[in-house]
Amino acid sequence: MQDLYSPDRDRYWSDDHPVLELVRARKAAGTRPGAHGDGHRLGLAVEGGGMRGVVSAAMLTALDDLGLRDAFDDVYSCSSGSVNAAYFAGGETWYPLTIYFDDLATKQFVDMRRFASRRGILNLDYVFEQVLETVKPLDYDRILQAPAGFHVAVTLVDELRTESVADFRDKDDLREGLRASCWLPVAVPGAGTFRGRRAVDGGVLTAHPYLLALADGCTHVLSLSTKPLRAPGRPSPGRRLSALYMERIRKGLGRGYLANLDRYRTQRRQLQEWMTDPGTGPYVLDLAPLPWMPEVRRHEMSLGALLTAARQAHAIMHAAVTGVPAKRLRDGTFASLPRFTTVDGGVRADAD
């Protein structure tokens, strides 16, 4: 097998990967969730990671642009990926992409100076009470009525476990679940709440929602990751500080977080191997920024970096689905951008 991490590698995924074949077949058939009739269960797993969520947001926009919104039976998400996935489930992908440029790359949301005052680097009140309510409204009712299952990963602090929540009762319950899944320890002080229990970021104990899709019985999973495909480097020293903070919230939470990160280093290598050697199933295709592409920081504020990441992520998804070789992404002979749209009064009109 070729070296997965070679800088001149041309083949990062198989064009006939079972996940891609199923996605294409469902598009050709024009079927919808609950009526595919092919005997498979296709999950969409959406990773976040603070501002790195711009990557999965752009991939979701590409899926929408390619007419693949109805291909998936269930959507699984965590962290900022849960907000991206919620917009997708609610019929909108332009909003979740543009919030990273227009609304989140601002001092209102990210302000490192707040860390010294213990107010938290990230302002979730601004996101959930302003952006998602009035600036770029999230259609909670449409998500609750969507034919595809919608799952949000929440870390239950006192139980020390991940809960994949899909049985949302109403708008307030769904909003509370999304907010809890975005509660990134350290960046947001203390813990949030969900249904009367302390809760934090869904990725703290389960690194990626593709694991939830497999545990839920999906036969095929399209996994959207926000970190580039690279050989694991040395663990960041910052993770130890994060773990110490989590231990103060709940004894065992920090240790669980570190163990989760260590497991994911192995899991990520397996994910990359499955891209060209999918095995006998269940099948997982993990699309992510390619090795030469820069990694977006959790607290990225550079508009240029965010726009570049979005453009590259959109092109990756487009290339994988339509069979464009990855080498054309690297040499610059293939690129793609979200289709042009206008937004007027909260109603999207697609430009021809």
Side-chain angles (χ1 to χ4, degrees), residues 17-18 273-274 276-283:
H17 193 285
E273 291 176 356
W274 282 340
T276 54
D277 185 11
T280 58
Y283 303 105

Side-chain angles (χ1 to χ4, degrees), residues 22-31 36 65-68 71 321-322:
L22 182 59
V23 166
R24 294 164 184 153
R26 287 187 170 184
K27 179 182 179 180
T31 52
H36 290 302
D65 291 349
L66 290 164
L68 295 169
V321 172
T322 60

